[in-house]
Amino acid sequence: MAVSFIMAGGFGKRLWPESRVNYPKQFLAINTKESLIQLAYRRCVNLFGRKNTFVITRRELIKKITSHIPELTSDQIIAEPVGRDTAPCIGFAAIHMRKKGEDAPMVILPSDHLIESGEKFKRVMMAAIKLAEKGYLVTVGIKPTRAETGYGYLQVGDKIDRLQSITCYELKRFTEKPSQKKAKSFLESGDFLWNAGIFAWRPSAILEEIKKYLPELYDGLEKISKTLGTSEEKKTIESVYPHLPKISIDYAVMEKTTKAAVIPADFAWDDIGDWQALTRIFPKDEKGNVSQGLIKEMETMDCIFVNREDKILAVIGVSNLIVVNSEKGTLVVSKELSGRVKELVDELLKDERFKKYVE
């Protein structure tokens, strides 16, 4: 039986001030009463069962995660002492599976994306598991609907198999966050998909490729692996993990491996990469505005307003703006620069006067 791992260690900078370093976006309820991580957990439990659903996260987020998912037991949470991006995170999960003597496919899923559950999602996951059982490193791709520069792209190669009524392909090329010109050419070519951040592989398969392409990471994971379940485990993790290479699984392995496969998915998906995503999730009014909360506007067009405070947000005569009013602060940014909110947060973190408002 396959095992699912929900990655929940993000830093929440792009949706500040609603999302913060220690309150990242997986804890936000975007368009339902449930938070994104609650939705992700329920999605996995429905497919893999409660016993086979794990969460891997930064240690400081554990209390918040268990408040959202009280059913989680301590042995279903894999705690990183610090966040080191997705390659160490996934390798860490893989050595935990290997320690249990298991080499069944592990499915890696994000905690902070909007994903349509149901039969379409189930069919893609089942196809991914079957392909992973054959030794492939499987990634899931979404058909692009616009020239998006904030996502990774997957170029579809030759056909490998047909599983669950879905044609599966070799992954010809992975390209991370292209320029606008490249994104437009990818969209027009028809043979590129968005990288959905969903993977499936056997623990032995991903560890073998980490060993091949990033031996420094593999060596560190092996040091930790030897002490799992012993009195030296905590001490070794504390000393080794913070020094593992900080790199995504895409750069570390998926761009280089010859064993990658891609499954096109037809379920609805959005990674909510910045505040602009709200225009894809919520309806616009007749002036092109998206409003959440108590808003009063006059002569205002093509704006996004989010007001979480118990007071009115009033606006006159502006256009093309994003205004987010929240407990920790107020953000005002032009829509075309919304992708730079992370840069702003990084600057705020450098200043002691502002750190408490972004952490």
Side-chain angles (χ1 to χ4, degrees):
M1 177 64 185
V3 174
S4 61
F5 288 88
I6 301 169
M7 292 191 294
F11 287 90
K13 296 177 181 178
R14 290 180 174 86
L15 292 182
W16 183 84
E18 283 278 270
S19 169
R20 302 178 296 281
V21 171
N22 292 319
Y23 191 82
K25 68 176 176 176
Q26 60 259 32
F27 300 121
L28 302 181
I30 301 294
N31 63 345
T32 67
K33 290 182 179 179
E34 290 184 292
S35 64
L36 290 171
I37 195 167
Q38 288 170 327
L39 293 171
Y41 180 73
R42 184 155 52 81
R43 200 158 43 238
C44 288
V45 168
N46 287 344
L47 274 186
F48 305 101
R50 190 169 292 176
K51 286 193 310 180
N52 294 318
T53 298
F54 296 80
V55 173
I56 182 162
T57 187
R58 289 182 282 132
R59 188 177 297 150
E60 60 265 31
L61 297 181
I62 290 175
K63 188 174 179 181
K64 181 60 68 176
I65 285 170
T66 53
S67 74
H68 280 242
I69 313 171
E71 312 96 287
L72 274 177
T73 61
S74 58
D75 63 351
Q76 289 176 295
I77 300 173
I78 298 174
E80 302 173 278
V82 292
R84 299 298 291 168
D85 217 322
T86 56
C89 170
I90 287 167
F92 198 37
I95 63 172
H96 275 81
M97 273 195 75
R98 188 180 64 183
K99 186 69 177 178
K100 293 178 181 179
E102 297 179 12
D103 200 36
M106 53 189 294
V107 180
I108 312 294
L109 302 110
S111 62
D112 56 2
H113 294 182
L114 270 181
I115 296 174
E116 177 192 10
S117 299
E119 282 305 309
K120 289 180 179 179
F121 178 74
K122 180 180 179 180
R123 197 168 71 248
V124 170
M125 291 300 97
M126 293 303 103
I129 289 165
K130 288 179 182 295
L131 207 52
E133 286 172 343
K134 299 177 182 229
Y136 287 98
L137 305 187
V138 185
T139 185
V140 173
I142 306 291
K143 186 176 180 180
T145 56
R146 61 188 183 277
E148 173 64 56
T149 60
Y151 299 163
Y153 283 74
L154 311 168
Q155 187 175 21
V156 174
D158 295 334
K159 176 181 173 181
I160 294 174
D161 207 338
R162 189 164 174 82
L163 303 165
Q164 302 292 125
S165 303
I166 301 171
T167 304
C168 310
Y169 301 90
E170 290 179 356
L171 177 59
K172 189 173 182 180
R173 177 161 57 113
F174 178 94
T175 302
E176 180 66 4
K177 295 179 182 176
S179 65
Q180 185 67 40
K181 185 178 179 181
K182 270 192 175 180
K184 190 171 183 292
S185 71
F186 291 168
L187 179 67
E188 291 169 351
S189 76
D191 61 350
F192 282 83
L193 303 170
W194 285 333
N195 176 23
I198 300 172
F199 304 98
W201 40 55
R202 291 187 184 275
S204 58
I206 190 62
L207 289 170
E208 182 182 322
E209 296 302 276
I210 289 173
K211 182 179 181 180
K212 183 185 296 184
Y213 297 111
L214 197 60
E216 182 186 352
L217 173 57
Y218 183 82
D219 291 345
L221 291 170
E222 283 299 292
K223 287 177 186 175
I224 293 170
S225 180
K226 288 172 184 174
T227 66
L228 291 180
T230 75
S231 59
E232 294 295 307
E233 177 181 335
K234 185 177 179 181
K235 180 182 174 183
T236 305
I237 291 171
E238 291 290 340
S239 63
V240 174
Y241 203 93
H243 302 289
L244 295 178
K246 193 175 192 304
I247 187 171
S248 73
I249 197 69
D250 307 305
Y251 284 130
V253 173
M254 299 304 286
E255 283 191 351
K256 302 167 184 172
T257 183
T258 58
K259 298 180 180 179
V262 58
I263 298 179
D266 56 355
F267 53 77
W269 170 91
D270 199 302
D271 88 337
I272 322 174
D274 59 36
W275 286 113
Q276 287 257 43
L278 296 195
T279 62
R280 303 189 293 272
I281 298 166
F282 297 105
K284 298 177 183 178
D285 66 17
E286 64 279 3
K287 298 178 185 176
N289 299 314
V290 172
S291 298
Q292 296 289 297
L294 194 57
I295 314 291
K296 179 62 178 176
E297 59 79 17
M298 294 171 58
E299 300 173 28
T300 292
M301 297 178 63
D302 299 321
C303 289
I304 298 169
F305 300 118
V306 179
N307 183 23
R308 302 300 189 207
E309 292 297 278
D310 188 22
K311 60 181 76 170
I312 189 170
L313 175 61
V315 230
I316 302 174
V318 298
S319 62
N320 206 43
L321 279 184
I322 298 170
V323 181
V324 183
N325 188 34
S326 190
E327 177 192 0
K328 290 289 185 177
T330 301
L331 171 72
V332 181
V333 60
S334 61
K335 286 171 81 173
E336 64 266 23
L337 295 180
S338 61
R340 296 186 62 188
V341 172
K342 180 180 181 293
E343 291 177 46
L344 174 65
V345 171
D346 287 335
E347 287 300 309
L348 293 173
L349 283 167
K350 295 175 185 176
D351 192 319
E352 287 298 325
R353 296 173 299 165
F354 303 131
K355 280 181 73 172
K356 68 179 181 180
Y357 299 106
V358 292
E359 285 185 330

